[in-house]
Amino acid sequence: MIAESFGAYFGITVTLLVLGLLISTFRILREYQRGVIFLLGRFYKVKGPGLIVVVPIVQQMVRVDLRTLVMDVPTQDVISRDNVSVRVNAVVYFRVVDPEKAINQVEDYHEATSQLSQTTLRSVLGQHELDEMLSQRDVLNVDIQKILDKQTDVWGIKVSNVEIKHVDLDESMVRAIARQAEAERVRRAKVIHATGEQEASTKLAEAAAVLASESGALQLRYLQTLTEIAGDRSSTIVFPLPMELAQWLKKDNKKAGP
């Protein structure tokens, strides 16, 4: 009786064990997943997606996600080439293109990419001045992306994009930039005013040359000026004295002198 009970329990145990092994043998991988298979500890092949077979005990599988991952780079303290301290953070978009390398060539590809992004961000931005960080972000993004993509290629990682999100400045630096912008606006205003004066003087010289070329032109201009003065409701009219008349009177006085 005991033997029969033991035999029944043993049979049930073996049946459950075999059923569990069969269930664990079949794995389902989604379209964006791949399985890196190891046979007795050695790399065998990459399987998936869909239904795959993994022999229990003999084979082991590591799942790898092939979708684009978004990684936020923590805020980094950067000293620019012109010795300005800023705090910069960024975001990196990358994905696994070679599951075998991503598992066999690096312990944790996500952490490795994160640390490499931080050091590369500080290194690249430290080679540029503050004005370049603020006005040439697109160029800096491309430079960082190319460096990261080249270095992570041996890990089977493709860095598709890098975006600098924020460049934080100290309050003193913000005020200094504001003063610089104000001084720049004042300089531009003075340059524009001087350019206008130069153009006006050139046009006046051309007009004077035209008026001097014709004897009646100056007289017509004189009459037009009197007409404009009379139309302004002014009680005072100034009659300009021709220089030729002034010179003639001066000569006449010298002749009439003692």
Side-chain angles (χ1 to χ4, degrees):
M1 189 68 180
I2 298 176
E4 293 178 358
S5 300
F6 177 77
Y9 286 124
F10 181 75
I12 294 173
T13 302
V14 172
T15 302
L16 293 176
L17 181 60
V18 172
L19 183 61
L21 291 176
L22 289 176
I23 293 175
S24 62
T25 299
F26 298 98
R27 307 286 181 86
I28 297 178
L29 297 178
R30 298 180 179 179
E31 182 64 33
Y32 55 82
Q33 292 179 328
R34 296 295 184 271
V36 180
I37 308 300
F38 293 91
L39 178 62
L40 297 177
R42 298 178 62 86
F43 171 74
Y44 177 56
K45 64 169 59 176
V46 177
K47 292 185 177 182
L51 181 64
I52 65 173
V53 177
V54 179
V55 180
I57 303 176
V58 178
Q59 294 181 340
Q60 298 82 35
M61 183 189 72
V62 179
R63 292 177 183 262
V64 179
D65 195 323
L66 301 185
R67 292 177 294 181
T68 298
L69 302 177
V70 182
M71 180 182 63
D72 188 39
V73 180
T75 302
Q76 303 295 309
D77 293 325
V78 179
I79 299 179
S80 63
R81 191 172 63 182
D82 51 350
N83 297 322
V84 178
S85 179
V86 296
R87 295 174 61 83
V88 183
N89 67 338
V91 60
V92 178
Y93 299 85
F94 70 97
R95 63 186 180 90
V96 177
V97 294
D98 192 335
E100 176 188 354
K101 291 182 179 180
I103 298 300
N104 293 330
Q105 299 298 327
V106 62
E107 180 180 3
D108 186 344
Y109 65 85
H110 192 280
E111 180 65 21
T113 304
S114 175
Q115 296 297 326
L116 184 61
S117 300
Q118 297 177 38
T119 56
T120 304
L121 182 66
R122 292 194 300 268
S123 176
V124 172
L125 295 184
Q127 301 174 9
H128 297 270
E129 297 182 357
L130 177 61
D131 292 341
E132 296 174 348
M133 294 184 193
L134 298 177
S135 61
Q136 301 181 9
R137 290 193 182 185
D138 293 340
V139 177
L140 298 178
N141 291 337
V142 173
D143 291 343
I144 298 173
Q145 182 267 331
K146 289 182 178 179
I147 295 175
L148 287 177
D149 187 44
K150 182 178 180 180
Q151 295 182 347
T152 58
D153 183 64
V154 295
W155 302 337
I157 304 297
K158 171 63 178 179
V159 178
S160 58
N161 193 17
V162 176
E163 292 290 340
I164 298 175
K165 294 197 298 184
H166 299 292
V167 178
D168 297 329
L169 304 174
D170 295 335
E171 291 296 331
S172 59
M173 184 54 60
V174 173
R175 291 192 296 270
I177 293 177
R179 291 195 299 270
Q180 180 183 3
E182 182 179 1
E184 177 65 18
R185 288 193 295 269
V186 172
R187 183 189 69 84
R188 291 181 182 180
K190 291 182 178 180
V191 170
I192 293 173
H193 179 72
T195 303
E197 292 291 337
Q198 181 181 9
E199 293 178 356
S201 62
T202 302
K203 294 300 181 180
L204 288 174
E206 294 176 357
V210 172
L211 291 175
S213 63
E214 296 291 339
S215 59
L218 185 60
Q219 184 68 23
L220 292 175
R221 183 59 182 168
Y222 169 69
L223 295 175
Q224 182 181 359
T225 302
L226 293 179
T227 303
E228 293 176 355
I229 294 176
D232 289 340
R233 298 180 181 179
S234 176
S235 60
T236 303
I237 297 179
V238 178
F239 292 92
L241 182 66
M243 297 300 298
E244 294 81 359
L245 180 59
Q247 293 177 359
W248 180 79
L249 292 175
K250 184 176 181 181
K251 292 179 180 179
D252 189 65
N253 290 334
K254 288 182 178 179
K255 292 180 180 179

